Amino acid sequence: MFICLIFLCSSLFTCGRAKANRTSMFGQQADRVMALGEWEEYWQRNEIGFHQPQVHKILKNNIDKVLNGRKGVRFFFPLCGKAVDMKWLADMGHSVVGVEISEKAIRQFFEENNMTYTEEPVPAIPGAKVYKNSEKNISLYQCDLYAFSSSIDGQFGAIWDRGSLVAINPADREKYAALIISLMAKDCRYLLETLLYNPDLYEGPPFFVPDEQLHSLFGSSCDIELLQSVDAMTDLQRQWGLDKFTQNAHLITPKSS
């Protein structure tokens, strides 16, 4: 009984210390939770300031490093929205698979890019649908990201994560990293954008992702290379109350066995 009590107290102390460390690192974002319905509401109200109408500079500037001389690469877009990057890659001869919770975002992607498309249910994911263009080189799944897996549509040679890791709930990052790693083929090249700022000043999203945690999430099974780090401060971030805002681009690749 006494030993059990000691073990319980030790466990509570360890959990408490871990929570304190998380709070210290992430400030007011440590326990921030957004429901999927909130993201759908953003799309319904057209509050999509996170959407960019042009191909993202990070992807353009680093596409050669992502492709690494390969042709016809399969790209995965987590939380894809209606990113124009997907059409840009498909037009280059690559194929794209995306996952997005908002049906409106998916339909707008195809319609705004003048693409005919089909929709069909995904038997392995109750309630999910997959939308495909007529060329069959873009497939967008409307479902919870965590319901998706390699058993649904295989693994990928590249992943472009412009606004996904910075959008998910901070407490879900270990689950998210495990999913991403499971979707990476042996030659996968994962391009990731992260944001650095003072999380005590803004609750997010987009959320603060420190380099320390990035290495904790992916470092044991992947190599991580910082490709660029730029001051991305604009009037929008000043409105959020921030004084600094840094955009980092990382290339993450599976370690060779």
Side-chain angles (χ1 to χ4, degrees):
M1 180 70 176
F2 180 67
I3 294 175
C4 290
L5 184 60
I6 291 176
F7 178 77
L8 178 60
C9 290
S10 175
S11 298
L12 290 173
F13 174 77
T14 301
C15 291
R17 185 169 60 182
K19 184 173 182 179
N21 289 341
R22 268 175 39 82
T23 302
S24 174
M25 181 181 293
F26 300 113
Q28 62 176 320
Q29 296 182 1
D31 299 310
R32 182 86 160 88
V33 175
M34 286 188 65
L36 288 178
E38 292 182 70
W39 289 107
E40 291 187 272
E41 288 172 10
Y42 277 134
W43 283 98
Q44 292 302 323
R45 297 194 302 265
N46 203 37
E47 295 177 5
I48 53 172
F50 47 81
H51 171 71
Q52 292 194 3
Q54 64 282 327
V55 177
H56 200 287
K57 287 183 179 179
I58 285 180
L59 180 60
K60 269 193 169 181
N61 292 343
N62 296 285
I63 187 62
D64 289 343
K65 291 178 181 174
V66 175
L67 295 177
N68 199 31
R70 298 172 297 168
K71 306 290 185 183
V73 176
R74 296 187 76 231
F75 275 80
F76 180 64
F77 275 61
L79 307 186
C80 61
K82 58 175 181 178
V84 297
D85 305 12
M86 297 188 287
K87 182 179 185 299
W88 184 69
L89 289 167
D91 288 346
M92 292 170 61
H94 307 294
S95 60
V96 171
V97 172
V99 174
E100 168 59 47
I101 193 61
S102 170
E103 180 181 10
K104 181 178 180 179
I106 293 174
R107 291 187 182 277
Q108 283 187 347
F109 169 77
F110 289 114
E111 291 163 5
E112 290 175 6
N113 288 292
N114 299 312
M115 294 182 183
T116 57
Y117 63 96
T118 60
E119 63 176 275
E120 57 189 71
V122 183
I125 309 176
K129 295 179 182 178
V130 60
Y131 298 75
K132 299 180 181 181
N133 65 339
S134 56
E135 292 79 14
K136 305 297 183 184
N137 59 353
I138 300 178
S139 300
L140 305 184
Y141 288 81
Q142 185 210 349
C143 65
D144 182 343
L145 178 63
Y146 301 115
F148 190 81
S149 69
S150 59
S151 65
I152 304 296
D153 208 333
Q155 292 182 312
F156 301 90
I159 299 172
W160 170 217
D161 187 336
R162 176 250 156 172
S164 187
L165 180 59
V166 299
I168 64 163
N169 295 326
D172 291 338
R173 286 179 185 162
E174 289 187 3
K175 177 170 66 172
Y176 178 86
L179 171 63
I180 293 296
I181 291 170
S182 74
L183 295 174
M184 297 173 73
K186 290 182 180 180
D187 64 345
C188 184
R189 300 177 76 80
Y190 171 27
L191 183 62
L192 168 68
E193 176 204 44
T194 58
L195 303 171
L196 300 179
Y197 60 84
N198 184 348
D200 287 322
L201 300 177
Y202 178 62
E203 67 174 3
F207 297 114
F208 161 74
V209 181
D211 290 347
E212 176 186 350
Q213 189 183 36
L214 193 62
H215 285 268
S216 173
L217 292 172
F218 296 101
S220 62
S221 59
C222 298
D223 293 318
I224 304 171
E225 177 187 358
L226 177 64
L227 298 179
Q228 65 184 82
S229 183
V230 298
D231 179 358
M233 190 76 173
T234 69
D235 288 340
L236 176 61
Q237 284 76 47
R238 293 185 185 93
Q239 290 174 18
W240 294 346
L242 299 179
D243 50 6
K244 291 181 180 179
F245 190 75
T246 301
Q247 182 184 66
N248 284 349
H250 310 267
L251 185 66
I252 301 178
T253 54
K255 289 182 176 178
S256 54
S257 52

